[in-house]
Amino acid sequence: MSDHAELDTVCPNNHNLTLNFSHDEFEAALKSGELVLHCNTCEANWPPSREDIAKVRKQFSR
């Protein structure tokens, strides 16, 4: 099982992002409801989609 994962996504303002997560931080933030994706280009914040969460969890299971 991998302890880090990357998520390639696009912010609501169409900026491409690659976000990095550690397994423990990802799961803790997800359980607490505090997991918010952030774009440094435009300062947008948004919740991850179910597809985003599934992509990250799949990487952790490798």
Side-chain angles (χ1 to χ4, degrees):
M1 180 163 85
S2 177
D3 64 342
H4 283 84
E6 288 187 347
L7 174 63
D8 291 321
T9 190
V10 177
C11 85
N13 295 314
N14 294 320
H15 298 115
N16 295 322
L17 307 170
T18 300
L19 305 169
N20 296 295
F21 300 97
S22 77
H23 185 255
D24 292 339
E25 291 172 337
F26 178 78
E27 290 298 334
L30 195 58
K31 285 179 186 176
S32 70
E34 295 177 4
L35 183 59
V36 176
L37 305 181
H38 176 77
C39 177
N40 289 330
T41 302
C42 67
E43 300 299 322
N45 293 308
W46 70 100
S49 68
R50 289 179 191 218
E51 293 82 17
D52 290 338
I53 293 169
K55 287 179 194 176
V56 173
R57 283 192 165 150
K58 184 176 181 179
Q59 288 183 52
F60 286 134
S61 67
R62 292 184 194 163

